[in-house]
Amino acid sequence: MVRFPRYLAVVFLILMLATDAVADLPIPDRRKPQFQKESGYYIFPTPYSLPGIGDGLAVIGLGMNLGGTYTDLFGFGLTGDMLGLGLGIIDVHLVPERLILDINVERFNKATVTSFSERGMNTAEHDYTLLKFDNFQFIGGRLTNTYFDRKFEVYGGGYLINSKLGAILDPEGNTILDVQDPQPWREQVYVLGTRFDLTDDYADPRRGLRLDAGRWWSPPKDQSDPDFYHMEYNATAYIPMGRISTWVFNYFRADAHVLRQGEINRDTISVEQGLNCNDLAVDTQEWQDCWAVVDSIVAANTYGTAGSFGGTSRLRSYPNDRYKGAHAVFYGTEFRFNLTEEARPFDIFIAKDIRTVLQLAFFYELGSVEDERKRLGDIYRASYGAGFRMVTASGVVFRADVAAGKEGFETTIIFGYPWEPL
């Protein structure tokens, strides 16, 4: 059972004290209104190539502040080796400028997850397999209650994931093992959190401090699943450099708290997952890869999972979910040099908006993930690089980053600044 009443009591107390606290702190004035209604749209056709999945074409569409409201709509479609659809509607103001709803639905015919032979920081670059899931479905919603011109928020969300583990693949996408009689995989994830945004702008801050704290939990479906929750803490400081540029510092910490361990018997997990590792020839590469997947599940059932590094936000030179574990710590710094902040409308058929900021960024990141808290920080990995951003009046931040690290380079093209919580 997840014990969250104490956390709710703390949130309630913060809410009761927030008026006096916000009034007394040296908070920067907002540079502009925090709820904008400038409309815009974007349509992006782009090719994709994913390990273990294949190649194809994706079309992404965005519509911001539709019909003179605050509501944004986005969607995508995938063709080729991977078929998928997604639709999201965000910033739906159930109570204007107070209660905001976001909803997201996605469905794919297949999806892959990278599974390294061990959790933590000790694995080699190519020491992984790909887990292929069939009929992947995701639906999620989040409700945000915001106060004091978005300086204080309370939010809660719920997410449902359905799929089936279909096969284990090698890094080149070749099949190692087809799962026999796969069991449906269904996970419910919930979050409850708070945010203090003591900056000069919610979407594009240049001075001030931002603090987030969130509690995540997933109710166990049966005795095989662990019963745990994890806490996330995210602090970001924005220091002005000159008139329009900013130096940003970020600290992130996450810790899993296990209330009850799940199944940790390797043979039982092998059978439950439909892997049947004992049916493979002993000491072959396939046998080792199969048991590595099982051992990863054993670790998750023993310690819980607090999150991962790698991907588009933290340790950007590594692929998504490169490092995973029960405890995580991260330090990041980024210098954002604004080239211009003049409002410049554009309309080029596939995109219409108002450009407000063009920005160069230079960043350095350090992160560590471990299952045992006492080992956290024994090994760090670093990423560093540069990026280009465009901020628009409709509220969209377009970001392109190139990051380097111990295992090479990664390129990110995405929406939004890094280091922001979900």
Side-chain angles (χ1 to χ4, degrees), residues 268-348:
T268 301
I269 291 174
S270 173
V271 174
E272 285 182 347
Q273 298 297 322
L275 299 175
N276 300 319
C277 299
N278 284 324
D279 293 344
L280 299 170
V282 177
D283 287 336
T284 62
Q285 186 62 51
E286 291 79 5
W287 181 85
Q288 294 174 9
D289 290 337
C290 185
W291 283 115
V293 173
V294 171
D295 288 338
S296 179
I297 298 173
V298 170
N301 289 350
T302 302
Y303 300 102
T305 302
S308 63
F309 290 157
T312 61
S313 187
R314 292 186 170 90
L315 294 189
R316 282 169 270 177
S317 68
Y318 296 91
N320 195 52
D321 288 343
R322 173 62 178 92
Y323 299 108
K324 183 182 298 185
H327 305 279
V329 64
F330 173 89
Y331 306 91
T333 184
E334 181 171 280
F335 184 81
R336 297 174 182 172
F337 179 73
N338 286 344
L339 301 172
T340 177
E341 59 174 357
E342 61 181 348
R344 187 70 65 87
F346 60 88
D347 186 349
I348 54 174

Side-chain angles (χ1 to χ4, degrees), residues 192-266:
L192 181 64
T194 58
R195 165 183 281 197
F196 282 94
D197 188 79
L198 312 180
T199 69
D200 61 345
D201 187 63
Y202 191 91
D204 181 26
R206 298 181 188 173
R207 68 172 64 233
L209 182 67
R210 179 174 290 169
L211 304 170
D212 290 88
R215 176 170 180 159
W216 296 77
W217 71 94
S218 180
K221 301 182 296 297
D222 51 46
Q223 290 299 310
S224 293
D225 293 331
D227 187 1
F228 75 98
Y229 66 91
H230 81 267
M231 297 295 301
E232 291 187 357
Y233 306 95
N234 193 51
T236 309
Y238 303 88
I239 301 174
M241 304 297 292
R243 188 174 63 86
I244 60 175
S245 297
T246 306
W247 199 348
V248 186
F249 296 86
N250 178 256
Y251 169 79
F252 173 84
R253 179 65 188 262
D255 294 286
H257 303 270
V258 178
L259 307 177
R260 176 186 57 78
Q261 291 185 348
E263 180 61 63
I264 59 174
N265 183 280
R266 299 171 82 229

Side-chain angles (χ1 to χ4, degrees), residues 116-136:
F116 280 83
S117 60
E118 295 180 23
R119 306 204 321 169
M121 308 295 292
N122 282 318
T123 51
E125 178 180 0
H126 301 292
D127 191 12
Y128 68 89
T129 55
L130 298 171
L131 306 183
K132 183 172 78 71
F133 289 89
D134 299 322
N135 300 318
F136 182 89

